[in-house]
Amino acid sequence: MQILIVQAHVKPDCVEAFKAATLENARHSAQEPGVARFDLLQQSDDPTRFVLYEAYKTPDAPAKHKETAHYKKWAEVTANMFAEPRTRALYTELFWTR
């Protein structure tokens, strides 16, 4: 399993629009055959900070995800919403509770 964790800091005036766009992307992403899990988290003490937790079944699934229409739409819609560049880190699953 490949785990991608994306951290995003969004401009305060973009929080609601970012949530709407990202929820739409997450709902479609969860339908992809290579996606095991796709979570959107909002930081409790700073609502401008988000984490996307994406679990992929195969090593090539993250790249396939980026080819989808819903990801491309999300990337375009949210491009100017970030207060700073988002960070991404790819992990390999060692233990997973189901």
Side-chain angles (χ1 to χ4, degrees):
M1 190 90 61
Q2 299 289 305
I3 310 299
L4 179 64
I5 297 178
V6 179
Q7 296 188 5
H9 183 201
V10 176
K11 296 173 187 172
D13 61 328
C14 296
V15 167
E16 293 306 316
F18 179 81
K19 284 181 4 183
T22 307
L23 283 168
E24 180 181 345
N25 178 53
R27 287 184 187 108
H28 288 286
S29 298
Q31 305 286 322
E32 294 174 41
V35 174
R37 185 176 184 122
F38 201 101
D39 299 339
L40 171 62
L41 310 172
Q42 185 175 26
Q43 189 170 318
S44 298
D45 63 347
D46 184 350
T48 66
R49 295 189 181 271
F50 295 86
V51 171
L52 283 77
Y53 181 93
E54 307 170 20
Y56 295 95
K57 296 175 183 176
T58 62
D60 62 331
K64 288 182 180 178
H65 166 66
K66 286 186 144 189
E67 295 172 3
T68 63
H70 55 269
Y71 173 81
K72 290 177 182 179
K73 178 182 177 185
W74 175 84
E76 181 180 326
V77 168
T78 63
N80 294 315
M81 294 184 185
F82 298 102
E84 58 192 62
R86 63 188 188 268
T87 62
R88 304 170 76 244
L90 190 62
Y91 297 84
T92 301
E93 169 196 0
L94 298 179
F95 178 79
W96 182 287
T97 59
R98 304 200 195 299

